[in-house]
Amino acid sequence: LLAMRVTAAINKAFDRRIAVRTLFEAPTVAQLAARLDGAGGDDTEVAPVEVLCPGAGIPLICIHDGFGLSWAYRVLGQYLDCPIVGVNQVVQDGESEPDSVHAMAVAYADRIQSRYPIGPYRLLGWSFGGVVAHAVAVELQRRGQVVDKLILLDPSLNTFLTFASRTFDEAALLKHVLQSQGITAARGQQFTYQQVSELLEQHTGSTEALPAESIIGLMSRSITTNRRLLARHHGGTFHGDAVIYVATQSPSLGGKRRALPARLTLRAQRQRWTRLINGKLHLQPINCTHFDILHQHALNQYSKELNEVLGRDPGS
């Protein structure tokens, strides 16, 4: 969501029309500068599976967040050399809408195997994506496949459910877009996509901060669906080792951040995941909030170890 504000400022400053997803595709200043000459781009198409960053070796397959998008994982390309592949929450041809996290995992395992028929597989997921990544790992093992790396970024069930319990329907997302551009709205006031577009044009002279209507719809549908699926999810057992990076700051939205005792957050995550992972469970505290774990200040704390984990041979 912060990318909306950044792209709007860039477009205004440089008189360009870059799409929101461009910021994820070119997350460094140098990469983004190169894109300005060819500004534009399709901000509406979301592929079921897409290569977020090229590289050599075994791909790291990243499962979408609670909003249904994997684009935020592009930032990992600045720290890792392997291919980074994203799985997005869009229904692929031949699939039906999943009615459980397990059904979602089955569909995603099918997608992964259609592109990469033989493992070993390496899976990563943040927040809700961590829960699904674990379920995909369980499903791939059930099929006799090898999953040698399972990496979860603060897969906090309670955090996601608390966050998702807020009203995050399409109207709320549109209101957030307005607020990100300094346009205030009365409590309870509702807006349509067209109204937000007109307000942005009137107040800022541009609608570039507004993602495509299809993206807003996808985000809204995804978080509503995922809240329902997660509330009734009971995970299976993954037979192998796993690494969990645990955020130790309060994830409260809009409130003052406070550091939680690392031992308490680590204990809570260990209790939650020990019954779901039959192997070594390595938990690493990260001094950040749940929502910042893919930001630079957080990645600086664990990217070196993450490289070592991915470079480690299975069983070492």
Side-chain angles (χ1 to χ4, degrees):
L1 298 179
L2 291 175
M4 301 174 187
R5 181 179 299 177
V6 176
T7 52
I10 291 171
N11 288 325
K12 183 176 181 180
F14 296 98
D15 192 24
R16 293 292 190 271
R17 294 180 61 83
I18 66 168
V20 173
R21 70 177 297 163
T22 303
L23 196 63
F24 295 99
E25 295 170 347
T28 69
V29 173
Q31 292 171 332
L32 196 55
R35 291 294 189 97
L36 290 178
D37 289 335
D42 186 358
D43 199 27
T44 63
E45 184 178 353
V46 180
V49 179
E50 58 181 312
V51 177
L52 303 174
C53 296
I58 301 173
L60 180 62
I61 299 171
C62 302
I63 308 300
H64 61 77
D65 60 19
F67 282 112
L69 296 170
S70 66
W71 297 348
Y73 298 114
R74 290 186 193 275
V75 69
L76 294 176
Q78 300 175 50
Y79 302 87
L80 307 176
D81 295 327
C82 63
I84 298 170
V85 177
V87 176
N88 296 308
Q89 194 170 354
V90 291
V91 178
Q92 187 171 268
D93 290 344
E95 294 178 354
S96 57
E97 265 320 320
D99 58 1
S100 66
V101 171
H102 172 69
M104 185 178 283
V106 170
Y108 294 172
D110 287 343
R111 294 183 193 180
I112 292 166
Q113 286 196 284
S114 68
R115 183 176 288 246
Y116 308 103
I118 301 175
Y121 297 103
R122 296 179 171 182
L123 302 174
L124 178 145
W126 164 60
S127 189
F128 176 75
V131 177
V132 181
H134 171 268
V136 173
V138 172
E139 174 61 23
L140 287 170
Q141 284 189 334
R142 188 191 65 79
R143 301 179 184 191
Q145 298 297 318
V146 174
V147 179
D148 74 328
K149 308 293 180 188
L150 177 60
I151 302 164
L152 310 180
L153 305 181
D154 206 42
S156 179
L157 309 187
N158 291 339
T159 297
F160 178 76
L161 286 173
T162 300
F163 170 68
S165 66
R166 297 163 59 94
T167 302
F168 257 91
D169 56 13
E170 188 167 331
L173 289 170
L174 290 171
K175 189 173 182 179
H176 179 88
V177 173
L178 291 178
Q179 292 172 339
S180 74
Q181 300 303 302
I183 303 173
T184 58
R187 182 184 295 273
Q189 188 173 2
Q190 302 288 303
F191 298 93
T192 65
Y193 188 90
Q194 183 59 36
Q195 288 172 331
V196 170
S197 178
E198 292 171 356
L199 283 169
L200 288 173
E201 187 69 45
Q202 176 184 343
H203 286 81
T204 69
S206 171
T207 61
E208 291 301 319
L210 183 62
E213 190 168 9
S214 60
I215 299 297
I216 290 286
L218 170 63
M219 294 169 70
S220 175
R221 291 191 303 274
S222 295
I223 200 166
T224 300
T225 296
N226 295 338
R227 177 180 60 190
R228 174 174 51 83
L229 298 184
L230 186 56
R232 65 189 191 196
H233 176 59
H234 299 283
T237 300
F238 172 69
H239 298 280
D241 301 341
V243 176
I244 301 180
Y245 295 105
V246 182
T248 59
Q249 287 188 5
S250 169
S252 58
L253 297 176
K256 184 178 180 180
R257 296 181 180 181
R258 61 184 179 89
L260 300 176
R263 60 183 177 81
L264 296 182
T265 54
L266 291 174
R267 180 190 301 169
Q269 288 283 24
R270 186 175 296 279
Q271 290 176 342
R272 180 176 295 120
W273 288 98
T274 295
R275 64 182 180 82
L276 300 174
I277 295 173
N278 183 16
K280 293 180 181 178
L281 186 57
H282 173 71
L283 292 97
Q284 178 66 37
I286 306 299
N287 186 25
C288 69
T289 72
H290 176 78
F291 303 103
D292 294 338
I293 204 161
L294 283 167
H295 289 193
Q296 182 179 4
H297 71 90
L299 280 162
N300 287 340
Q301 298 177 54
Y302 67 89
S303 59
K304 182 178 179 180
E305 181 185 282
L306 181 56
N307 263 299
E308 293 174 352
V309 168
L310 292 173
R312 201 177 296 157
D313 292 332
S316 65

